[in-house]
Amino acid sequence: MADYVPRSDAEFNNWQAQNLSFAEGKSEAWKIPADMLVSLKNGQTAWAAAYVKASNRKTRSQADVEAKNVARRTYEKQWREFIRAWVTDNPYVSPDDRVRMGLSPKDRVPTSAGPPTTAPIVKVDMSDRFQHKISFFDAQNPTSRAKPAGVHGCEIWMKLDGDPPVSTKDLQYVATDTASPYIMLFDGADGGKVAYYRLRWVNKKGQTGPWSADVQALVNK
């Protein structure tokens, strides 16, 4: 399944506005606590201000673009956490509701698949400024973007700057992406730093597989 969050800022802006309005209208039926929507609305306010300012190519500065990127990462993370917590396994959310939000209908067929047994192959494209394109592939089928059978997505963990990670305790969780590639955006202050990535497959039960080999990439200015 392709990632449900649109890639472009313009598409993301439309997606979040429509889905926030839809979720507000369904909040009572979905049994969503009011503070969850307040948090999303606060995130929307910060995103909208930064997005509008950075959208004017004639007046925007590099700082405006970087501020928009930070706001996007923060707000997108809020949405992913909201959907994971209040939509994915919420019995009050109907298949039609999921489709309305741009999600696939929930698979009601139980899966007997165990934890993933292979590690993903990882490649990082660092050709763009302040951005990494992280691609991940099934080790058993490296020429295809298809995930291994029973796999929901790929967990992405990272350590930024300094020495390479010694253990997983040195890593920070970035995201669980369901479709390769994942776009990692950086602030201007991160230019020239090295990012160390380690990825692993995760199934729909939350069970994880073995770690990939570490991959390092420079954040280009």
Side-chain angles (χ1 to χ4, degrees):
M1 181 183 72
D3 190 4
Y4 57 82
V5 177
R7 295 287 187 187
S8 78
D9 287 337
E11 290 175 334
F12 171 74
N13 190 54
N14 291 334
W15 176 87
Q16 63 81 24
Q18 293 170 3
N19 279 346
L20 183 53
S21 177
F22 185 63
E24 283 186 287
K26 290 283 188 174
S27 60
E28 184 175 349
W30 292 354
K31 312 297 184 186
I32 299 175
D35 60 342
M36 290 289 97
L37 289 175
V38 170
S39 179
L40 269 181
K41 292 181 76 171
N42 289 339
Q44 182 188 58
T45 298
W47 155 253
Y51 174 65
V52 169
K53 194 170 185 181
S55 296
N56 191 326
R57 295 179 178 273
K58 294 181 179 180
T59 61
R60 72 183 181 186
S61 65
Q62 181 61 35
D64 294 333
V65 175
E66 291 169 4
K68 180 266 298 179
N69 291 342
V70 171
R72 159 99 191 227
R73 286 201 301 272
T74 301
Y75 189 39
E76 182 177 325
K77 182 180 179 182
Q78 282 185 282
W79 266 108
R80 291 185 185 279
E81 291 175 347
F82 173 80
I83 288 174
R84 184 164 56 247
W86 297 103
V87 178
T88 301
D89 294 315
N90 188 336
Y92 300 107
V93 178
S94 72
D96 287 342
D97 290 338
R98 291 177 59 84
V99 172
R100 170 65 177 74
M101 295 187 74
L103 309 173
S104 61
K106 185 171 177 58
D107 183 6
R108 299 293 181 182
V109 179
T111 176
S112 59
T117 58
T118 62
I121 295 173
V122 184
K123 296 181 180 180
V124 180
D125 181 348
M126 55 185 127
S127 57
D128 291 326
R129 300 174 66 237
F130 304 110
Q131 176 179 299
H132 286 162
K133 182 185 291 185
I134 306 167
S135 299
F136 43 89
F137 309 90
D138 178 8
Q140 304 299 319
N141 193 15
T143 60
S144 170
R145 292 187 183 275
K147 301 185 294 289
V151 163
H152 167 67
C154 193
E155 285 189 356
I156 300 170
W157 295 69
M158 180 188 71
K159 179 180 185 292
L160 182 61
D161 206 18
D163 296 327
V166 176
S167 73
T168 54
K169 294 181 179 179
D170 298 327
L171 301 168
Q172 289 188 330
Y173 173 75
V174 174
T176 298
D177 198 12
T178 58
S180 177
Y182 179 82
I183 305 299
M184 182 72 189
L185 302 176
F186 294 90
D187 300 331
D190 295 328
K193 296 179 180 179
V194 174
Y196 303 92
Y197 294 101
R198 193 178 295 178
L199 280 65
R200 61 183 178 180
W201 299 119
V202 59
N203 66 15
K204 293 181 179 180
K205 299 178 182 178
Q207 298 170 315
T208 54
W211 289 105
S212 70
D214 287 355
V215 177
Q216 66 182 60
L218 179 70
V219 179
N220 285 318
K221 305 184 200 183

